[in-house]
């Protein structure tokens, strides 16, 4: 394992970025250091706390891109960890970083961008942030994504939910015990609302770990995959890649994307209640860490493993760590608490993931009706019923009906969401959420057309 650690260097800023670039270029044959790179291409890059800024991170990205682009002979770089915490980075640097993440999608296990100045406010910020999130969709062994200490803002969480919903459900094999007591295997990703097994059968829903283990140890599974061999729509502009990927990661390649990341750290990210509302969509359907960790390489002994244990023991969260965030009100905290409780209920019963684009469309329609009523100062007799039966619940809560308190959780969950939606519309209007703003604009245009 090659460790490129620059934390003890006296040089900082853009100058250090150029030094990192030169060290990475030395790995390319026939330059000095290429033989060592061929013998051990696995690299942990640590440039934490060096004030690189967006200017200084560009040479680092260029060096990584050049090393990954070398396709003659054996690979010279498998980037497993990328630590860029506390470097004064902004959202604009995410565009260049996304290119490296796409190239290292088979290798990256840890991405640390904590304690920077990443804030998503302008349209350019949104474009960069969405590009970064999209680049993660092919990451096969990513164990941790640390974004803590960045003032992300509400728009970042809205885009996060959008990127999350666009990813395909995880291909997690599960075993279901039927009425005759027989165990059958199903693909959780292939079950939709109508095809999902009855709730009383979901009580016996468990991960088919034996099948996964057998598949991982089979000759086909142990054969090294080639970079770019998986389906991807993000390979435009990247060099042709035919070198074998990490043998250590090949047997873990069963899930990909943000949905497959066991630990996503979002503490101290300036979360507000509207951010909590967005995050609640993800919390209810994101698999628990213990299930996802079986599909990524284990953390290295020492600080990395201890850090994951600290998340489990001290954060009060399950994989998606959003505490502390002092700007969240008691209503927002209550919503996230209910979401976590519902998620725990699902871990005992169903983990069928039905967070799809169809849900997003139905949710948009529900919000549109509520926003329209709030703006016009009117309410319909069916409004309360609409809230109770909102399609937001189909992200997973209703599948917990097999547990005794499933219905109560559903009702409480919907009330908590409705309260935050109402408060946000009252205090900030529809402009506070891009989806609401566009929905209202569409509604106004539709009415104008109909009234002509």
């Amino acid at each position: 394992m090659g460790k490129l650690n620059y934390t003890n260097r006296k040089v900082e800023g853009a100058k250090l970025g150029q030094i990192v670039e030169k060290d990475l270029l030395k790995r390319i044959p026939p330059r000095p250091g290429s033989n060592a790179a061929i013998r051990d291409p696995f690299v942990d890059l640590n440039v934490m706390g060096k004030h690189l800024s967006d200017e200084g991170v560009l040479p680092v990205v260029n060096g990584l891109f050049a090393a990954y682009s070398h396709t003659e002979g054996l690979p010279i770089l498998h980037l497993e960890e990328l630590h860029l915490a506390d470097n004064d980075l902004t959202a604009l640097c995410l565009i260049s970083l996304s290119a490296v993440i796409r190239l290292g999608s088979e290798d990256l296990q840890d991405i640390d961008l904590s304690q920077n100045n990443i804030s998503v406010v302008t349209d350019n910020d949104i474009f960069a942030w969405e590009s970064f999130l999209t680049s993660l969709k092919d990451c096969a062994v990513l164990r941790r994504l640390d974004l803590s200490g960045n003032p992300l803002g509400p728009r970042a969480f809205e885009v996060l939910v959008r990127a999350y919903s666009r990813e395909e459900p995880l291909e997690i094999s599960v075993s279901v015990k039927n009425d005759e007591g027989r165990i059958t295997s199903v693909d959780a990703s292939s079950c939709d609302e109508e095809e999902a097994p009855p709730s009383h059968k979901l009580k016996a829903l468990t991960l088919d770990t034996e099948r996964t283990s057998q598949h991982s140890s089979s000759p086909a599974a142990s054969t090294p995959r080639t970079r770019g061999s998986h389906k991807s729509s993000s390979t435009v502009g990247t060099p042709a890649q035919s070198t074998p990927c990490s043998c250590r990661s090949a047997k873990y390649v069963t899930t990909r994307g943000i949905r497959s990341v066991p630990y996503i750290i979002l503490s101290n990210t300036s979360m507000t209640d509207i951010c909590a509302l967005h995050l609640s969509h993800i919390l209810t359907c994101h698999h628990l860490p213990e299930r996802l960790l079986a599909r990524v390489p284990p953390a290295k002994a020492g600080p990395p493993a201890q850090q994951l244990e600290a998340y489990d023991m001290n954060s009060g969260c399950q994989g998606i760590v959003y505490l502390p965030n002092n700007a969240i009100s008691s209503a927002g905290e209550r919503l996230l608490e209910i979401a976590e409780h519902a998620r725990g209920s699902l871990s005992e019963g169903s983990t069928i993931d039905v967070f799809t684009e169809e849900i997003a469309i139905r949710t948009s329609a529900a919000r549109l009706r509520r926003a329209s009523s709030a703006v016009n100062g009117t309410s319909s007799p069916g409004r309360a019923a609409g809230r109770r039966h909102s399609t937001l619940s189909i992200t997973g809560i209703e599948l917990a009906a097999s547990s005794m308190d499933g219905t109560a959780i559903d009702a409480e969950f919907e009330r908590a969401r409705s309260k935050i939606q109402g408060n946000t519309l009252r205090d900030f209007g529809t402009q506070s959420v891009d989806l609401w703003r566009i929905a209202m604009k569409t509604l106004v245009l539709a009415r104008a057309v109909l009234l002509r």
Side-chain angles (χ1 to χ4, degrees):
M1 172 65 66
K3 291 184 179 293
L4 298 181
N5 192 329
Y6 298 87
T7 55
N8 294 324
R9 292 285 188 96
K10 294 183 179 180
V11 183
E12 294 184 345
K15 188 175 182 180
L16 178 60
Q18 295 171 359
I19 294 174
V20 176
E21 180 184 21
K22 290 180 181 178
D23 291 344
L24 289 168
L25 293 177
K26 290 177 183 178
R27 304 177 68 87
I28 302 176
R31 301 177 187 180
S34 60
N35 291 332
I38 292 174
R39 287 194 302 269
D40 185 9
F42 303 99
V43 170
D44 292 352
L45 180 58
N46 189 339
V47 200
M48 297 173 61
K50 306 306 291 185
H51 306 288
L52 286 177
S53 74
D54 293 347
E55 179 185 0
V57 82
L58 283 177
V60 177
V61 169
N62 291 337
L64 290 170
F65 194 88
Y68 260 118
S69 300
H70 178 76
T71 57
E72 298 178 5
L74 295 174
I76 58 173
L77 178 65
H78 288 302
L79 182 64
E80 294 192 337
E81 296 186 8
L82 178 61
H83 299 278
L84 295 173
D86 192 18
N87 273 299
D88 304 322
L89 305 180
T90 70
L92 297 181
C93 79
L94 297 178
I95 297 178
S96 56
L97 283 176
S98 63
V100 172
I101 292 174
R102 289 188 180 95
L103 291 174
S105 60
E106 301 286 353
D107 308 315
L108 276 167
Q109 300 176 23
D110 197 315
I111 300 176
D112 186 359
L113 297 176
S114 61
Q115 306 303 321
N116 283 296
N117 297 320
I118 300 173
S119 180
V120 182
V121 179
T122 67
D123 290 342
N124 288 336
D125 295 338
I126 291 177
F127 177 80
W129 174 245
E130 193 160 14
S131 175
F132 171 74
L133 295 176
T134 302
S135 70
L136 298 172
K137 75 182 183 66
D138 287 325
C139 287
V141 291
L142 187 58
R143 184 190 315 110
R144 183 182 72 135
L145 173 62
D146 192 349
L147 296 165
S148 61
N150 287 285
L152 296 178
R155 300 187 80 179
F157 283 86
E158 184 176 5
V159 175
L160 174 61
V161 174
R162 187 162 67 229
Y164 192 96
S165 67
R166 285 174 178 170
E167 287 189 0
E168 294 187 8
L170 299 184
E171 296 179 358
I172 293 183
S173 178
V174 296
S175 295
V176 179
K177 185 178 293 185
N178 59 23
D179 294 333
E180 290 77 23
R182 297 179 180 178
I183 296 179
T184 58
S185 254
V186 298
D187 185 357
S189 65
S190 65
C191 295
D192 56 22
E193 297 169 67
E194 290 75 21
E195 297 174 350
S199 57
H200 68 277
K201 294 182 181 180
L202 292 175
K203 209 166 187 178
L205 192 63
T206 57
L207 283 176
D208 191 355
T209 53
E210 292 183 1
R211 175 180 170 182
T212 303
S213 176
Q214 293 172 0
H215 174 73
S216 299
S217 59
S218 66
S222 61
T223 302
R225 296 179 54 157
T226 57
R227 281 202 189 94
S229 62
H230 55 274
K231 290 187 289 186
S232 172
S233 59
S234 309
T235 57
V236 177
T238 59
Q241 301 165 358
S242 58
T243 54
C245 76
S246 166
C247 294
R248 285 182 284 181
S249 68
K251 70 175 183 177
Y252 295 104
V253 181
T254 58
T255 55
R256 295 180 184 276
I258 306 174
R259 292 170 178 261
S260 69
V261 181
Y263 291 94
I264 302 175
I265 316 304
L266 298 169
S267 54
N268 295 312
T269 51
S270 303
M271 281 184 63
T272 61
D273 284 356
I274 193 61
C275 299
L277 179 64
H278 294 315
L279 187 61
S280 68
H281 290 274
I282 295 177
L283 279 180
T284 53
C285 61
H286 195 79
H287 287 279
L288 296 175
E290 55 264 29
R291 296 187 170 184
L292 296 174
L293 284 172
R295 286 162 171 75
V296 297
K300 299 178 180 68
Q306 293 169 3
Q307 181 65 75
L308 299 187
E309 292 177 3
Y311 292 144
D312 294 332
M313 296 177 62
N314 304 327
S315 68
C317 306
Q318 303 180 85
I320 300 180
V321 181
Y322 51 84
L323 295 176
N325 266 296
N326 298 328
I328 304 178
S329 71
S330 57
E333 291 178 353
R334 177 59 178 162
L335 172 62
L336 295 175
E337 179 183 345
I338 297 171
E340 288 282 18
H341 184 70
R343 190 173 169 213
S345 299
L346 288 176
S347 69
E348 300 171 2
S350 162
T351 56
I352 299 292
D353 190 351
V354 291
F355 190 2
T356 62
E357 286 294 333
E358 182 180 1
I359 293 175
I361 293 172
R362 294 180 184 178
T363 302
S364 301
R367 285 178 171 174
L368 176 59
R369 290 192 296 270
R370 293 175 190 172
S372 178
S373 299
V375 172
N376 296 330
T378 61
S379 61
S380 61
R383 185 178 177 188
R387 285 184 175 178
R388 286 196 299 271
H389 301 290
S390 169
T391 54
L392 293 176
S393 63
I394 64 176
T395 54
I397 299 302
E398 64 203 355
L399 296 181
S402 56
S403 61
M404 293 183 62
D405 60 342
T407 304
I409 293 175
D410 192 2
E412 184 67 20
F413 197 30
E414 191 56 30
R415 281 196 294 270
R417 275 179 169 167
S418 297
K419 181 177 181 180
I420 292 180
Q421 288 171 337
N423 291 343
T424 303
L425 286 170
R426 180 195 63 205
D427 298 337
F428 305 104
T430 57
Q431 299 297 317
S432 57
V433 177
D434 288 341
L435 180 63
W436 297 353
R437 175 178 56 80
I438 295 172
M440 284 302 301
K441 187 175 181 179
T442 303
L443 178 61
V444 171
L445 292 173
R447 286 181 173 178
V449 172
L450 291 175
L451 293 175
R452 281 184 180 179

